[in-house]
Amino acid sequence: MAKYKIGYTTGVYDMFHIGHLNLLRRAKERCDYLIVGVSTDECVEGYKHKTPIIPYDQRAAIVAAIKYVDEVVPQTTMDKLKFLKSRHFDVMFHGDEWKGTELYNKYENEFAKYGAKIEYLAHTEGISSSALREKIEK
């Protein structure tokens, strides 16, 4: 298994659940230092067109308290390349549902120019924030 110096991953981490924890654990197993971008409320509203249930400051505090996380930064844009240019990392970890998509194929090519790559991690079966939100709204 590859071992990287600096890893990066992002998420909303609204209604934190075991799938989030599993992804952070698997990411940390593959790097020495894990930076986690937590999407700001404005960022989430901009691309998901909904307000997170848990406010940014609380979501960031929850993620920062997890032993696998070395640093939390606000994710203010969905542009992963912009963050890479401002703060180098060796690998970005992302859920495998995006592997092979046009957007992430483009990111893979662009990241390579900066000596970074993307490693896709499997989703935890049977759990997602969307499923939790549906249960709450019933």
Side-chain angles (χ1 to χ4, degrees):
M1 192 176 308
K3 186 74 171 171
Y4 304 97
K5 183 173 169 87
I6 301 172
Y8 176 64
T9 192
T10 65
V12 178
Y13 303 105
D14 201 15
M15 298 181 291
F16 197 90
H17 56 70
I18 193 67
H20 293 133
L21 187 63
N22 288 340
L23 187 131
L24 294 172
R25 178 183 45 76
R26 288 188 298 240
K28 180 59 178 176
E29 288 170 352
R30 291 164 171 79
C31 66
D32 295 325
Y33 190 85
L34 181 61
I35 302 168
V36 179
V38 175
S39 300
T40 63
D41 295 341
E42 297 79 15
C43 181
V44 175
E45 289 164 1
Y47 81 94
K48 285 195 174 191
H49 308 292
K50 52 186 163 186
T51 303
I53 292 170
I54 309 297
Y56 168 78
D57 289 344
Q58 292 176 26
R59 291 182 286 113
I62 290 165
V63 173
I66 295 165
K67 69 180 181 178
Y68 308 118
V69 176
D70 295 298
E71 181 181 354
V72 169
V73 296
Q75 178 178 239
T76 58
T77 175
M78 295 304 293
D79 185 346
K80 314 299 186 199
L81 186 59
K82 185 175 181 178
F83 185 79
L84 175 62
K85 288 177 179 179
S86 71
R87 179 92 184 266
H88 181 78
F89 52 83
D90 302 303
V91 61
M92 183 176 81
F93 300 103
H94 206 289
D96 61 0
E97 74 276 14
W98 288 92
K99 186 174 185 173
T101 65
E102 185 177 336
L103 176 61
Y104 277 78
N105 287 342
K106 180 181 173 190
Y107 276 141
E108 287 179 26
N109 292 330
E110 291 296 316
F111 280 22
K113 296 174 186 174
Y114 295 89
K117 58 193 299 190
I118 300 176
E119 193 170 306
Y120 298 94
L121 302 175
H123 250 70
T124 300
E125 285 296 315
I127 186 76
S128 72
S129 295
S130 297
L132 288 176
R133 188 181 280 264
E134 284 177 24
K135 283 183 179 181
I136 290 169
E137 291 174 352
K138 283 185 179 180

